[in-house]
Amino acid sequence: MVQDRTHSFAGLIAPVTKSEFIDKYWGKSTLVLHRTEPDYFGSLFSLADLDACLMTAANRSSKILQVIPPPSSGRSSILTSVSALSKDRLYDAYLSGDTIRLLGVEKVWPPFELLAADVREALDVEIGFNLFLTPPNSQGFPTHVDTLDSFIVQIAGAKQWYIWDPIYDRPLGSQRSNELVAGMKWAEEELTLRDKPVLKAGDVAYLPRGFFHKAVAGDEFSLHVTISFHPLTWVDFFGRAVELAAMEDLELRQDLPPGFVQDREKQEHMSLVFAHLLDRLSKTLSFEATLGSLVDEQVSARTFPPDGHFSVLAGLDEIGPNSTVNRRSGLACLVENAGSTAVIRFGPKRVEGPKGILSTLEFIRDHRTFRVRDLPDSVSLNSKITLVRRLIRDGLLRPV
C-alpha cells in the first residue's frame, strides 16, 4: 500500500520542506499555507466521515466529546463520552451554534494515526489530534493562548483566524507555566495582530505555542483538525539527567527535612546542601546517558501504524534480492553491539543475530529505503533475504 501524501508530514507542509520548516518556523514564527485544492485532505477525512468516526469513538469510555457554545452565549461547555450524548442532541447543539470537538481522534481514525506517526517521526514529539466542527457564523473558544505548538488543518468549509504575537515566548506545558500565562493581564486590543488568514479547505497553519489566537466561522461551516504537540525542552532533558543521577546517588534521594516550610534554620541548612549537590551534579551529570535514555524511550514508545501490514505478511515469500523495502512510517530503530551478538530494536520488538550482521543492521538503521541486494556484503545474498523477511514479519520494514 502506497501511503497517501496527506498521511505524511511532507504532504502536510508542502511545498515547504522539513528542513526549511525547522530552520525558519519551528518555535519561531507562524506559517500559513494557502492551497487551491479543496480536496487536498479528502482521503484524510471529510464531513461525511464524521458519523462513522463518532460511531468508532463511542466504544471509548473516556470523555473525549466536547460541546462548546459560542463565547457570548452564557452557556458552559460540556465534556463527556461519545456514548453519553445521543446523535440527535449533537445535531441540535450544532444547529444551535455550538462547536463539536472530538479529542484524540488519531486513536479512532486510521488515516489520522498514519499522519500522526509520520509527524512523530519527523519532529520527535508526542501528538494529539482534536477535530472541530463549527456551524456557520459561530465561534468556539474565545481569544486564548496555548502552551502547545499546533498545526491547523482545514478539512472542509472555511474559518477566519486572528493571530497575535506572544507576550511570553515558548511557555512550558507545566502547571506553573500555565498558571503564569493565565495570570498575565492582557486585552485583545493591546495585542499586536500578526495575521488574520481565512483558512479554506486544503489550507494549513502552524502556530508556535504562546501566540494568541481565535477563529470564527463565516457564512459556511468549518471542519478542521488541530494537531497539538509539545516538544521536549531542555527542562525535560535536565530533569531526566538529574533523575538518572539520583538512581546512583543516595543523597539526591533523601527527603527534604520535615518542617522546612516555616523553619528558617532548616532552610539555611538546605541552602548549603543545595549548593553542595549543585556543585557535584555539574561534574556527574551525563549527557550521553541522558540522551541515550530519552532516545531509548522514544524508540520503544512508537507503535506500529495502521498501514495494512497484514496484506504485506501474506506476500512475505515474494520478497527477493531485487525487492525494494522501506521502514514503516513513525518507527525509529536502535542498533546495539551486544558482545557476541548484534541487536536491532524498534517499538516493542528486538531482532538479534550474530555479530557479523552488525554493519548490515547499521545500514538498515541509516537507510529508510533500500533494495535487498544493496545491503552490505558482510552477509550472503540468501542471508540478506532472510533478514529482510524477518524484519518485515516483525514489523519494521515493508515492501515499496
Side-chain angles (χ1 to χ4, degrees), residues 250-258 260 270 273:
L250 176 59
E251 195 168 4
L252 282 170
R253 304 199 304 270
Q254 294 291 350
D255 301 339
L256 296 182
F260 78 91
M270 286 171 61
V273 175

Side-chain angles (χ1 to χ4, degrees), residues 53-295:
C53 186
L54 286 167
M55 182 180 297
T56 305
N59 295 319
R60 300 183 63 206
S61 59
S62 52
K63 294 182 178 181
I64 59 173
L65 176 64
Q66 188 174 17
V67 179
I68 309 166
S72 59
S73 69
R75 294 182 283 119
S76 299
S77 64
I78 299 170
L79 181 62
T80 185
S81 63
V82 174
S83 60
L85 209 59
S86 63
K87 285 282 187 64
D88 61 314
R89 286 189 63 190
L90 272 182
Y91 299 151
D92 288 343
Y94 173 78
L95 293 173
S96 299
D98 294 351
T99 292
I100 308 301
R101 181 191 189 197
L102 194 60
L103 290 76
V105 286
E106 78 280 6
K107 298 174 182 176
V108 297
W109 195 253
F112 284 149
E113 176 52 32
L114 278 174
L115 176 56
D118 209 62
V119 176
R120 285 188 198 104
E121 181 183 355
L123 301 178
D124 293 323
V125 293
E126 284 306 308
I127 291 185
F129 280 48
N130 293 334
L131 187 68
F132 290 81
L133 175 65
T134 301
N137 302 306
S138 191
Q139 177 182 349
F141 293 123
T143 301
H144 65 285
V145 61
D146 293 327
T147 56
L148 298 170
D149 293 46
S150 59
F151 286 104
I152 311 301
V153 182
Q154 192 69 30
I155 303 293
K159 217 167 195 181
Q160 171 77 67
W161 284 79
Y162 299 85
I163 305 169
W164 292 269
D165 285 341
I167 58 176
Y168 180 71
D169 288 327
R170 306 302 283 162
L172 300 172
S174 65
Q175 178 181 341
R176 280 181 173 75
S177 184
N178 289 334
E179 291 171 351
L180 174 66
V181 173
M184 290 180 176
K185 303 300 181 184
W186 58 271
E188 189 176 295
E189 58 272 13
E190 296 173 348
L191 300 174
T192 301
L193 184 65
R194 167 170 289 233
D195 201 358
K196 51 177 185 178
V198 175
L199 296 187
K200 298 180 179 180
D203 294 347
V204 169
Y206 164 67
L207 274 66
R209 62 187 187 269
F211 282 75
F212 289 84
H213 56 276
K214 71 176 179 181
V216 183
D219 293 335
E220 60 179 321
F221 76 96
S222 169
L223 178 66
H224 84 263
V225 174
T226 296
I227 305 174
S228 299
F229 54 96
H230 195 162
L232 291 171
T233 67
W234 282 107
V235 172
D236 301 309
F237 195 91
F238 275 99
R240 178 62 60 87
V242 173
E243 179 185 4
L244 292 175
M247 306 294 280
E248 307 295 332
D249 190 328
L250 176 59
E251 195 168 4
L252 282 170
R253 304 199 304 270
Q254 294 291 350
D255 301 339
L256 296 182
F260 78 91
V261 172
Q262 291 189 304
D263 191 321
R264 291 294 303 167
E265 185 176 336
K266 289 181 178 179
Q267 292 173 7
E268 290 172 3
H269 176 69
M270 286 171 61
S271 71
L272 298 176
V273 175
F274 180 82
H276 159 68
L277 290 175
L278 191 61
D279 179 66
R280 194 163 73 198
L281 284 172
S282 69
K283 301 179 180 67
T284 59
L285 292 187
S286 170
F287 171 80
E288 289 77 13
T290 305
L291 179 63
S293 174
L294 290 174
V295 168

Side-chain angles (χ1 to χ4, degrees), residues 178 294 360 365 385:
N178 289 334
L294 290 174
T360 306
R365 177 197 63 196
I385 295 171

Side-chain angles (χ1 to χ4, degrees), residues 301-336:
R302 296 182 186 179
T303 56
F304 299 129
D307 55 2
H309 201 63
F310 276 107
S311 63
V312 170
L313 297 178
L316 196 57
D317 291 341
E318 299 173 10
I319 300 298
N322 294 317
S323 299
T324 299
V325 296
N326 66 6
R327 191 186 317 145
R328 293 172 70 190
S329 181
L331 295 180
C333 56
L334 285 176
V335 173
E336 300 170 346

